[in-house]
């Protein structure tokens, strides 16, 4: 799908959102899109699905778009959902309530499209909505990007002359300041892991605030903008020339939300990176997603990444959660004569082949049509689901994706691509890097020390090379075990597919891409792991070439594996 004009981007929005129109409740306040489970109750599930389309509809309306059907749905829904005596009331709250998350989209509507979201409401409905939103100030919210939800709500209430909390507004902004690390990067509260929450949460909301509150707080808003400009110079490395973004970290079910930062970048008036380059990133990214199998037969977004896949989901992924990705259409708020719409979509600028992203604790390697990231394995040891798979593999790729485990038992269920996997003698369990105990990111390599199991210690050095990368592992084990150094998962059942394991190496390839591994170490032997279906995030079937090594009880050994890839 070609995206050049403002109407092209509007058409893309309609393609994603129009299938929802017949699915809203009679009063408009609830949207039930599926029956899979999540950690919050049904009222929050349905309210979330109602709210998240606003991330696109608000900028669509702010930029002059008209859709009477959606306008009617949301006026009725906002009125009914906040009416404590109505049948579709969204209810009261608890600490850490999911509905606080969803308030941000409504607050954005009040800030940037009040003529559609606020002004059409009756006086009583405005009072109910304001009172309901104010509830975020009366409960505990996490010390993380959630602070921005409270900030945006209070900013919106303040703009409309409603009761708001200056104390909560100030304390929230102070916490956001405390999360800033320098070099354009934030941490997400207490979390050390760096992922898309830095781009589509911390920076995105900061730029929304900057656009809304520039007159009231010019110095703070300028800081938010300056930090975003610095961050952009690193974040651009996460996108390949085809439009794909790096599959890495949690919340990948938000899919095209990966590019939301770039929409906020132009919305906030930032120009360090030319409008044509930003437009190219957004246009290629949305077009890439248009080619993936992300909707069901009715056109409703599914949970998953490049296809429907509950295995890789987090515990907070409800049926309506993927519509958070609509944040990437904030550019629709730009006026018709904005330079963004006049600009031609430009290719990515000249970028370094290997770049160290210091604050992200990784190297990024641009290799032909693929972007690979070598993270240090910095993450919360356990969290929302599949944390080791999403943060602690040795390398992540825009073209090969990564795999998540069906279980920790046997290799084919564990699908340990881009990992060093230990199987201890007499057991079927598979142990991989969960989190690094210590690490060092240098300009040309990543070194980490980690423990897959008590009694086994590993120091891994990963070095990018012209056609792939090299891994050197120093292993000390109190147990006899077989160790598998695994390459990428390569898509099966494709034209020209073949695989082979011979001597100390193995390869899997087809017409368009492939991966080969070759090892040097005790009893090195090439193997191919037939991963279970639906483990890779990009394609439902994959095979993993690997080298198996033998480590005896009490040994200290060093193994070296070379991983080569090709992508057409």
């Amino acid at each position: 799908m070609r995206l050049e004009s403002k109407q092209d981007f509007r058409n893309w929005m309609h393609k994603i959102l129009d299938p929802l129109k017949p699915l809203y409740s009679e009063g408009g306040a609830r949207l039930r899109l599926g029956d899979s489970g999540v950690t919050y109750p049904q009222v929050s599930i349905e309210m979330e699905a109602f709210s998240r389309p606003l991330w696109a509809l608000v900028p669509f309306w702010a930029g002059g778009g008209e859709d009477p059907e959606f306008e009617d749905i949301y006026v009725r829904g906002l009125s009914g959902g906040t009416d404590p005596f109505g049948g579709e009331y969204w209810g009261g709250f608890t600490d850490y309530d999911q509905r606080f998350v969803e308030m941000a989209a409504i607050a954005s509507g009040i800030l940037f499209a009040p003529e559609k979201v606020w002004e059409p409401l009756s006086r009583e409905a405005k009072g109910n909505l304001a009172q309901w939103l104010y509830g975020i100030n009366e409960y505990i919210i996490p010390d993380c990007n959630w602070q921005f939800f409270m900030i945006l709500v209070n900013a919106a209430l303040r703009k409309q002359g409603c009761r708001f909390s200056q104390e909560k507004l100030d304390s929230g902004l102070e916490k956001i300041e405390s999360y800033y690390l320098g070099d354009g990067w934030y941490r997400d509260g207490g979390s050390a892991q760096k992922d898309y929450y830095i781009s589509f949460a911390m920076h995105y909301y900061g730029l929304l605030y900057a656009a809304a509150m520039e007159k009231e707080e010019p110095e703070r808003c300028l800081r938010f903008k300056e930090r975003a400009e610095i961050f952009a110079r690193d974040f651009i490395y996460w996108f390949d020339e085809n439009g794909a973004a790096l599959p890495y970290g949690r919340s990948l079910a938000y899919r095209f939300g990966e590019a939301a930062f770039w929409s906020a970048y132009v919305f906030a008036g930032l120009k360090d990176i030319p409008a044509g380059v930003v437009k190219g990133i957004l246009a290629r990214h949305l077009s890439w997603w248009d080619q993936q199998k992300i909707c069901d037969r009715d056109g409703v977004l599914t949970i998953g990444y490049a296809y429907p896949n509950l295995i890789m989901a987090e515990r907070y992924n409800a049926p309506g959660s993927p519509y958070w990705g609509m944040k990437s259409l904030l550019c629709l708020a730009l006026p018709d004569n904005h330079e963004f719409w006049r600009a031609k979509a430009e290719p990515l600028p000249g970028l370094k082949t290997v770049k160290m992203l210091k604050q992200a604790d990784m190297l990024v390697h641009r290799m032909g049509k693929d972007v690979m990231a070598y993270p240090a394995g910095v993450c919360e040891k356990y969290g929302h689901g599949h944390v080791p798979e999403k943060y602690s593999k040795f390398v992540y790729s825009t073209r090969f994706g990564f795999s998540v485990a069906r279980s920790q038992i046997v290799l084919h269920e564990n699908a340990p691509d881009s990992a060093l996997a230990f199987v201890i003698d007499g057991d079927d369990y598979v142990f991989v890097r969960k989190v690094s105990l210590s690490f060092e990111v240098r300009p040309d390599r990543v070194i980490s020390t980690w423990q897959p199991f008590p009694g086994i210690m590993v120091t891994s050095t990963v070095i990018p090379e012209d056609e792939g990368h090299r891994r050197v592992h120093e292993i000390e084990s109190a147990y006899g075990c077989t160790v598998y150094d695994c390459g990428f998962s390569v898509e099966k059942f494709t034209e020209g597919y073949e695989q082979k394991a011979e001597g100390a190496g193995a390869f899997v390839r087809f017409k368009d891409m492939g991966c080969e591994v070759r090892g040097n170490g005790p009893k090195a032997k090439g193997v191919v792991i037939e991963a279970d279906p639906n483990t890779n995030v990009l394609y439902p079937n994959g095979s993993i070439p690997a080298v198996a090594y033998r480590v005896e009880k009490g040994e200290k050994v060093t193994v070296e594996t070379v991983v080569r890839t090709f992508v057409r």
Side-chain angles (χ1 to χ4, degrees):
M1 185 175 186
R2 186 175 177 82
L3 293 166
E4 284 284 352
S5 68
K6 188 175 186 178
Q7 190 58 48
D8 292 337
F9 280 77
R10 285 176 171 176
N11 291 343
W12 202 93
M13 182 202 77
H14 283 294
K15 181 178 180 179
I16 299 298
L17 293 187
D18 283 359
L20 302 180
K21 288 180 176 179
L23 304 179
Y24 288 85
S25 60
E26 184 177 355
R30 304 288 186 95
L31 186 55
R32 184 164 186 161
L33 299 178
D35 299 298
S36 55
V38 72
T39 56
Y40 36 92
Q42 191 65 33
V43 60
S44 299
I45 292 172
E46 295 177 7
M47 187 268 154
E48 173 189 80
F50 165 89
S51 178
R52 295 198 171 188
L54 285 171
W55 286 118
L57 289 171
V58 166
F60 169 72
W61 290 327
E66 299 285 342
D67 189 310
E69 190 170 359
F70 269 132
E71 292 166 28
D72 175 67
I73 288 171
Y74 278 89
V75 168
R76 290 188 295 111
L78 290 169
S79 300
T82 57
D83 179 359
F85 303 105
E88 296 191 2
Y89 181 49
W90 293 326
F93 305 109
T94 61
D95 291 340
Y96 309 107
D97 201 299
Q98 179 65 27
R99 285 163 288 191
F100 298 149
V101 177
E102 313 315 324
M103 285 181 178
I106 298 171
S108 180
I110 296 172
L111 286 168
F112 300 111
E115 71 282 357
K116 303 292 185 182
V117 174
W118 178 258
E119 293 167 10
L121 303 181
S122 69
R123 182 177 179 180
E124 180 182 8
K126 288 176 181 176
N128 288 337
L129 176 57
Q131 178 65 26
W132 186 81
L133 289 170
Y134 188 85
I136 197 171
N137 297 312
E138 300 174 328
Y139 293 83
I140 299 172
I141 61 173
D143 288 338
C144 63
N145 70 89
W146 282 43
Q147 294 295 316
F148 263 125
F149 308 145
M150 181 177 67
I151 290 166
L152 291 172
V153 164
N154 279 294
L157 293 174
R158 175 181 174 179
K159 286 282 190 178
Q160 293 300 332
C162 300
R163 180 170 67 120
F164 74 101
S165 173
Q166 186 67 50
E167 178 186 358
K168 293 290 187 178
L169 187 57
D170 292 341
S171 67
L173 289 166
E174 287 173 8
K175 286 182 179 179
I176 296 300
E177 288 297 322
S178 74
Y179 303 156
Y180 187 64
L181 298 172
D183 301 323
W185 287 80
Y186 291 88
R187 58 183 173 87
D188 187 12
S191 175
Q193 61 200 28
K194 312 300 187 341
D195 50 32
Y196 284 102
Y197 276 84
I198 312 307
S199 61
F200 64 34
M202 303 304 294
H203 277 296
Y204 187 93
Y205 302 134
L207 291 175
L208 282 184
Y209 187 84
M213 301 293 288
E214 195 160 19
K215 291 181 180 178
E216 291 85 349
E217 287 197 274
E219 291 185 8
R220 186 189 303 277
C221 293
L222 181 60
R223 283 201 304 274
F224 284 154
K225 290 182 179 183
E226 289 175 341
R227 291 170 183 174
E229 285 190 326
I230 298 169
F231 173 78
R233 298 166 198 163
D234 279 353
F235 188 54
I236 196 171
Y237 279 84
W238 285 31
F239 293 80
D240 73 19
E241 64 182 54
N242 296 317
L246 189 69
Y248 173 74
R250 67 187 179 102
S251 292
L252 294 179
Y254 302 157
R255 294 184 171 112
F256 41 89
E258 291 168 327
F261 169 82
W262 298 110
S263 214
Y265 189 92
V266 293
F267 175 74
L270 306 185
K271 297 182 179 181
D272 184 54
I273 295 175
V277 173
V278 176
K279 187 175 186 177
I281 295 170
L282 271 169
R284 288 189 298 273
H285 187 68
L286 296 179
S287 295
W288 186 88
W289 279 109
D290 196 56
Q291 300 169 38
Q292 312 308 313
K293 300 177 178 66
I294 60 176
C295 295
D296 65 17
R297 68 185 62 185
D298 297 320
V300 175
L301 289 176
T302 58
I303 298 171
Y305 194 62
Y307 62 95
N309 186 351
L310 280 173
I311 293 176
M312 55 79 67
E314 286 87 20
R315 60 184 181 176
Y316 54 79
N317 290 162
S321 297
Y323 288 90
W324 221 48
M326 304 312 295
K327 294 161 80 172
S328 285
L329 292 177
L330 181 57
C331 59
L332 289 176
L334 299 174
D336 295 352
N337 62 353
H338 193 278
E339 63 175 328
F340 180 80
W341 303 122
R342 300 194 308 269
K344 291 290 185 182
E346 297 178 15
L348 290 167
L351 299 171
K352 293 181 180 179
T353 301
V354 177
K355 181 176 175 63
M356 180 174 69
L357 303 186
K358 177 183 176 182
Q359 295 293 355
D361 303 316
M362 66 168 60
L363 294 180
V364 178
H365 183 194
R366 306 188 68 83
M367 200 174 74
K369 295 183 178 179
D370 196 3
V371 170
M372 297 185 183
Y374 304 88
V378 180
C379 60
E380 299 166 352
K381 190 172 181 181
Y382 304 109
H384 300 291
H386 295 294
V387 172
E389 295 100 310
K390 293 171 182 176
Y391 294 94
S392 292
K393 294 182 185 289
F394 296 125
V395 57
Y396 293 83
S397 159
T398 59
R399 293 299 298 271
F400 292 94
F402 68 89
S403 300
V404 293
R406 290 181 66 93
S407 80
Q408 306 306 317
I409 304 174
V410 303
L411 286 168
H412 62 85
E413 290 190 8
N414 188 263
D417 63 330
S418 298
L420 189 67
F422 289 76
V423 179
I424 298 172
D425 292 354
D427 203 344
D428 293 324
Y429 279 86
V430 181
F431 301 98
V432 297
R433 183 170 76 171
K434 302 177 184 68
V435 62
S436 292
L437 302 177
S438 63
F439 67 90
E440 182 181 359
V441 180
R442 299 180 184 174
D444 66 336
R445 66 193 60 200
V446 177
I447 305 168
S448 63
T449 299
W450 51 283
Q451 188 175 47
F453 187 79
I456 302 175
M457 190 65 69
V458 185
T459 296
S460 297
T461 301
V462 183
I463 307 167
E465 297 183 339
D466 288 345
E467 297 179 358
H469 63 279
R470 183 180 303 270
R471 308 173 190 168
V472 180
H473 307 287
E474 301 170 44
I475 304 168
E476 182 175 359
S477 177
Y479 311 94
C481 52
T482 303
V483 184
Y484 299 84
D485 205 355
C486 305
F488 290 108
S489 174
V490 180
E491 186 176 7
K492 294 169 65 173
F493 310 131
T494 52
E495 182 183 350
Y497 176 84
E498 59 177 323
Q499 64 177 50
K500 187 175 183 179
E502 185 176 51
F507 70 79
V508 181
R509 64 192 178 205
F510 64 98
K511 182 172 68 72
D512 291 332
M513 55 194 286
C515 178
E516 179 181 6
V517 297
R518 185 155 297 277
N520 182 20
K523 298 184 179 180
K525 181 181 179 181
V527 298
V528 175
I529 300 168
E530 303 295 349
D532 272 19
N534 306 313
T535 48
N536 189 277
V537 298
L538 288 182
Y539 29 81
N541 295 96
S543 299
I544 305 168
V547 180
Y549 301 99
R550 181 65 196 169
V551 179
E552 300 298 342
K553 181 178 179 179
E555 276 192 338
K556 295 181 180 179
V557 303
T558 298
V559 304
E560 182 173 326
T561 307
V562 175
V563 181
R564 296 283 181 256
T565 63
F566 78 87
V567 172
R568 292 194 178 98

